[in-house]
Amino acid sequence: MQPRVDFFSLGVRSVPASRAFYADGLGWPVHKEVPGEVVFIQVNHGLVLSLWDARQMQAEAGVSAPGPVPCITLSHNLASPEEVDRVMAEAAAAGAAVIAEPVTQPWGGYSGYFADPDGFRWEVAYNPGWAVDDDGTVTV
């Protein structure tokens, strides 16, 4: 198995609410959808985010319902602290709950956190050590 992720799915309580947040609020383009069941959004080269009805996902994947706050953090890295502030404001305007305002972190970067309608945490960060080469290789 190659070390690669092509698709990631979030089990959401309400597909329409999550669609409204990501597509209408944040402006992410919907690639394909089955209304009320699943929404697919291409988020990067060969990478798709799926917003999937949690009950269907739990039944298919054989998992229990998550607790009140899903245990996963998704990160959105940017080129400057100013971009972090801008994206955090956009997320808040789209209906995100700001969990932690952006601050300079002990590791040298600048980041904040917001939660989507299901409580999934998004870190919005500027990391001065983060770089992606033309071939996609990451340096941290």
Side-chain angles (χ1 to χ4, degrees):
M1 181 175 177
Q2 296 176 350
R4 183 183 75 230
V5 175
D6 302 300
F7 208 97
F8 62 100
S9 298
L10 303 179
V12 300
R13 292 183 298 262
S14 169
V15 172
S18 290
R19 185 196 194 288
F21 176 76
Y22 286 97
D24 302 333
L26 295 180
W28 292 12
V30 172
H31 176 70
K32 185 176 181 177
E33 69 182 298
V34 178
E37 293 182 27
V38 66
V39 174
F40 300 106
I41 299 169
Q42 186 162 353
V43 293
N44 209 335
H45 180 84
L47 182 61
V48 171
L49 165 64
S50 164
L51 305 169
W52 192 7
D53 177 81
R55 291 170 303 281
Q56 291 178 352
M57 184 179 184
Q58 291 159 8
E60 184 172 316
V63 297
S64 301
V69 176
C71 189
I72 185 171
T73 298
L74 305 165
S75 295
H76 184 74
N77 291 345
L78 297 161
S80 71
E82 294 77 21
E83 288 184 69
V84 170
D85 291 338
R86 179 184 54 78
V87 169
M88 287 292 292
E90 287 176 4
V98 174
I99 302 302
E101 292 288 343
V103 296
T104 300
Q105 299 292 348
W107 47 267
Y110 180 78
S111 68
Y113 286 83
F114 69 82
D116 78 356
D118 284 276
F120 290 106
R121 287 339 196 230
W122 280 87
E123 175 193 31
V124 181
Y126 161 67
N127 181 338
W130 174 267
V132 181
D133 295 338
D134 290 341
D135 70 355
T137 302
V138 173
T139 302
V140 179

